[in-house]
Amino acid sequence: PYPDVITVVREVNVREARDRGARNVMRVWKSADEVAHRPRALGPDERRRYAGDVTFVGTWMPERGPFIADLVKLGVPVSIWGNSWHKAPEWPTLKPHWRGPGLHDERYASVILAAKVALGLLSRVNRDLHTTRSMEIPALGAALCAERTSEHLSLYEDGVEAVFWSTAEECAAACRRLLADDAYRQSVARRGRERLHRNGHYNEQVLAAILKAVR
């Protein structure tokens, strides 16, 4: 009950904070960073090192192993960067597609920039309907291919500014279409970044809104 404002990134957290006595709860969207997630050209060595057709950057979670294993079985050329993937029961299937541990800072951006398609997977434990990847991937200028949720659908037009799916089979079909059509993939990436700018989901804008609420 003591802070002037408590900010949360999920609608469900608003009620939870109020139930615990918070006086003023503000819901904000997760956001990309203006500097860290700016588009830029990769050098030849970086592009060779990090290049991937369909890339996911993130830690293993129990629901992620079966999903990516299904993509592999469906013939999707997946690259995985992240920690703890060796814990997955599906590790024998996933191991050939694991490229290395979690990446941060410039290397994280380089992996997304070198990907043709970047996957946005959610966390069931966190009850996500969008994640930072939902903003960072379009900000960097890559094509976002993510789970279809009410929040993702409010952020981007499906099939135009991002591509959404509800099953591994639908995701595999979306990836194949994006990989087969360079012009379409580049259009999705460009339109997604333009929409992100209109939405205003960048750190400076989110922080400015929080400070305004405090004042």
Side-chain angles (χ1 to χ4, degrees), residues 81-214:
W81 297 83
N83 299 330
S84 301
W85 283 89
H86 65 281
K87 297 179 181 179
E90 304 82 13
W91 181 238
T93 299
L94 301 174
K95 184 177 180 180
H97 300 268
W98 186 74
R99 302 278 296 277
L103 298 167
H104 307 282
D105 305 323
E106 286 292 324
R107 290 186 302 156
Y108 165 75
S110 295
V111 168
I112 299 300
L113 287 163
K116 291 182 179 178
V117 178
L119 294 177
L121 304 185
L122 305 178
S123 165
R124 296 287 179 265
V125 172
N126 290 335
R127 301 170 294 176
D128 287 332
L129 295 175
H130 80 286
T131 72
T132 53
R133 302 284 190 278
S134 309
M135 315 304 182
E136 293 164 354
I137 290 169
L140 284 160
L144 171 64
C145 186
E147 185 171 348
R148 184 179 289 106
T149 68
S150 57
E151 291 187 357
H152 274 155
L153 290 169
S154 73
L155 288 168
Y156 306 106
E157 184 179 350
D158 191 3
V160 177
E161 298 164 336
V163 178
F164 300 132
W165 42 263
S166 298
T167 65
E169 291 76 13
E170 189 178 6
C171 179
C175 289
R176 282 192 287 268
R177 182 186 176 192
L178 287 163
L179 292 174
D181 190 336
D182 290 346
Y184 173 61
R185 185 178 68 251
Q186 291 162 8
S187 173
V188 169
R190 184 185 71 255
R191 290 170 182 263
R193 188 164 186 269
E194 291 170 351
R195 177 65 181 271
L196 178 69
H197 274 277
R198 294 198 300 274
N199 291 343
H201 296 145
Y202 281 91
N203 288 345
E204 293 287 346
Q205 292 162 293
V206 171
L207 289 169
I210 293 171
L211 292 173
K212 182 178 179 181
V214 173

